[in-house]
Amino acid sequence: MLKTDLSLYNNSPFKPGGNAIKRLLWYYVNLVFLKGGLLPSSSFNIFLLRLFGAKIGKGVIIKPGANVKYPWHLTIGNHTWIGENVWIDCLVAITMGDNVCISQGAVLLTGSHNYKKKTFDLITQPVILEDGVWIGAGAIVNLGVIAASHAVLTSGSVATKNLEAYSIYQGNPAVKVRERIIT
């Protein structure tokens, strides 16, 4: 029986974008200002994210403690809210539409590993959160997931598959529990 051998791991096929200096500079900017909350200002955080290539609409709120891996892979629509301590792991594209709410402590993942391979290869897929999606506190959205318009992932739930429009999902793995009716 074969075993995982991390000494064989080779991440060279993955290209994070940006040069090494840009990635290093972003690491410290993110650590001090976004994640560290040195200046807990949405407008300043948005300025920094845009400076590093993020595409961000108007009226966006980013709370202190947010952590963004590579902002040049991030697109955020208008009037979207990102809560405290949200982890946006954008190894590849993460796209959020308008009026999206990512509650505190939520995690958006675009990377994982192929546990079936001895070399534990990196796997990446984009995440798309369409208009009006709400990701509850402490919820996890896994790579490749598309949350369709106005879908809800409840607090602490884990999305491993696409979420249908105007539907509420709960659990680990998340399953549809009912329709979302907006009055």
Side-chain angles (χ1 to χ4, degrees):
M1 178 176 281
L2 287 177
K3 296 181 180 180
T4 300
D5 185 350
L6 293 179
S7 71
L8 300 175
Y9 180 74
N10 179 1
N11 199 27
S12 64
F14 174 67
K15 304 291 184 227
N19 62 40
I21 293 170
K22 181 178 182 179
R23 288 191 305 271
L24 182 66
L25 184 57
W26 173 251
Y27 174 83
Y28 288 106
V29 167
N30 183 48
L31 183 67
V32 171
F33 295 105
L34 269 79
K35 191 174 175 184
L38 184 62
L39 292 173
S41 160
S42 274
S43 57
F44 186 70
N45 290 339
I46 290 166
F47 166 78
L48 291 173
L49 286 163
R50 284 179 176 149
L51 186 66
F52 280 85
K55 297 171 191 73
I56 302 176
K58 64 182 179 183
V60 172
I61 303 293
I62 300 176
K63 295 290 189 171
N67 187 6
V68 178
K69 183 70 169 192
Y70 298 132
W72 43 92
H73 294 306
L74 181 61
T75 301
I76 301 173
N78 299 319
H79 306 288
T80 288
W81 300 348
I82 305 212
E84 292 89 348
N85 302 313
V86 168
W87 171 222
I88 302 173
D89 184 33
C90 41
L91 298 172
V92 295
I94 290 182
T95 304
M96 299 178 206
D98 296 338
N99 302 297
V100 170
C101 179
I102 313 296
S103 294
Q104 62 272 22
V107 178
L108 307 179
L109 298 172
T110 60
S112 188
H113 294 276
N114 187 343
Y115 61 86
K116 295 178 182 178
K117 290 196 142 208
K118 181 179 180 178
T119 52
F120 207 54
D121 296 352
L122 178 67
I123 302 168
T124 59
Q125 292 180 1
V127 167
I128 299 171
L129 307 177
E130 294 181 356
D131 294 347
V133 166
W134 177 21
I135 306 300
I140 299 171
V141 177
N142 279 291
L143 64 156
V145 169
I146 298 171
S149 178
H150 294 83
V152 174
L153 181 64
T154 63
S155 297
S157 296
V158 179
T160 58
K161 296 183 177 165
N162 292 346
L163 309 180
E164 296 174 13
Y166 290 91
S167 298
I168 300 172
Y169 288 80
Q170 185 173 34
N172 180 8
V175 294
K176 183 177 173 179
V177 293
R178 63 186 166 279
E179 298 293 321
R180 179 181 185 187
I181 300 168
I182 300 174
T183 58

